[in-house]
Amino acid sequence: MDLTLKGKTAIVTGGGSNIGRGIVMTMAGEGANVALFDIDEAGAQAVVRQAKEEGVSGRLEVYPTDVTDRQQVEDSIRRVVEEFGQVHILVNGVGWDQMGFFLDQTPEFHDKIVDVNYMGSLRCMRAVLPHMVENGYGRIVSLGSDAGRMGEYHEAVYSGAKAAVIALTKSLAREVGRHGVTLNVVCPGLTVPEGPEAVGSSSMWAGGMVDFWTTERRDSASRRYPLRRLGTAQDVANVVVFLASDRCNFVTGQTWSVSGGYTMM
């Protein structure tokens, strides 16, 4: 099936690690031009090199961007518009968390979780939506989490931030649908990176977290899923790219769990 992405321009935040990396590779493989926004420039450049080695047809460029900095977000999106002509797709892929008890965490830690996971997506939407509305076309897909749909143990503030992304998406979908812009959310389950090479230095998976998930721990976790396996970056990327395509142009304001049946809402 032709997903009609050839020649379109997509911004993928967090494109240098894990799920974001999978989305970039899949988008570019479909012929889209991809602007990678990532605080880890070296990690993003490594994704570009891999994509070129695999012969993807889309053009890839890296824009070092911290989504917690409004000015950086606005400047990077302005550069993409100038260099590519039009932004057709935004994928809000940046996410960050560290598990722990709510009462053991500091207010500063809570602020960071909200700033990265909720405000980061909001800033990118606010910067790109005027451009999409003016052009009468846009696809925005944000990564949420099943934690934001049901709450999750040891992830109270992260759950709240991801729930906010879902509610923001629904509200904006009602506002801008008349302008040809759709917004949807994809909620991954536990998605352990393939290996350390799939993780950037600023990723929540850096610092030995990939090694923590031994075969035994993965097997134990997979038993909580009806499909009896954990998800992969490619599993998530497939759905994100479909929602970003014109094959899915009558779907907006929806939340898709890609979690092997971990939640069924």
Side-chain angles (χ1 to χ4, degrees):
M1 177 188 292
D2 179 9
L3 294 180
T4 70
L5 293 175
K6 188 173 183 180
K8 288 190 169 68
T9 298
I11 293 171
V12 180
T13 72
S17 282
N18 199 21
I19 294 174
R21 175 174 173 267
I23 293 168
V24 168
M25 297 293 290
T26 305
M27 282 275 189
E30 290 290 332
N33 302 314
V34 184
L36 287 75
F37 284 19
D38 205 298
I39 197 171
D40 178 10
E41 183 176 3
Q45 291 289 0
V47 175
V48 171
R49 287 194 297 273
Q50 180 185 350
K52 290 180 178 178
E53 289 171 1
E54 296 186 8
V56 301
S57 57
R59 171 186 169 193
L60 292 94
E61 300 289 345
V62 173
Y63 297 80
T65 307
D66 181 351
V67 298
T68 68
D69 186 317
R70 178 180 59 82
Q71 193 63 56
Q72 284 192 36
V73 169
E74 292 177 354
D75 289 347
S76 291
I77 288 177
R78 188 178 302 112
R79 285 181 58 201
V80 175
V81 172
E82 291 172 354
E83 294 171 16
F84 287 87
Q86 183 174 343
V87 176
H88 303 88
I89 299 160
L90 166 66
V91 177
N92 288 309
V94 170
W96 185 86
D97 191 24
Q98 289 180 355
M99 298 180 71
F101 286 112
F102 176 78
L103 295 180
D104 291 340
Q105 298 166 340
T106 66
E108 292 77 17
F109 179 81
H110 293 161
D111 288 345
K112 179 176 180 179
I113 292 176
V114 173
D115 204 15
V116 173
N117 293 290
Y118 175 61
M119 291 302 299
S121 295
L122 186 153
R123 291 183 188 99
C124 292
M125 291 179 185
R126 181 62 183 86
V128 81
L129 271 172
H131 171 79
M132 290 180 170
V133 167
E134 181 181 356
N135 284 286
Y137 182 94
R139 302 285 179 263
I140 297 178
V141 184
S142 299
L143 289 191
S145 170
D146 276 358
R149 308 192 76 184
M150 59 177 282
E152 188 60 89
Y153 188 70
H154 278 179
E155 291 186 295
V157 179
Y158 178 79
S159 297
K162 290 300 190 181
V165 170
I166 293 170
L168 174 66
T169 294
K170 290 177 180 292
S171 296
L172 289 175
R174 294 182 185 278
E175 285 191 28
V176 300
R178 72 195 69 183
H179 301 291
V181 181
T182 68
L183 299 94
N184 293 286
V185 179
V186 172
C187 293
L190 176 61
T191 310
V192 180
E194 298 171 4
E197 71 282 351
V199 175
S201 61
S202 62
S203 170
M204 59 185 282
W205 292 98
M209 278 300 296
V210 177
D211 294 335
F212 171 83
W213 283 95
T214 61
T215 300
E216 292 75 18
R217 285 193 172 103
R218 296 185 196 210
D219 289 344
S220 176
S222 69
R223 288 194 285 272
R224 291 180 288 167
Y225 293 75
L227 295 183
R228 293 299 189 269
R229 71 173 178 87
L230 300 183
T232 67
Q234 190 63 60
D235 291 327
V236 181
N238 290 340
V239 178
V240 170
V241 172
F242 176 59
L243 286 169
S245 77
D246 287 341
R247 298 301 183 190
C248 205
N249 61 9
F250 199 56
V251 176
T252 195
Q254 303 304 309
T255 306
W256 294 44
S257 284
V258 184
S259 59
Y262 181 67
T263 63
M264 297 185 183
M265 297 184 181

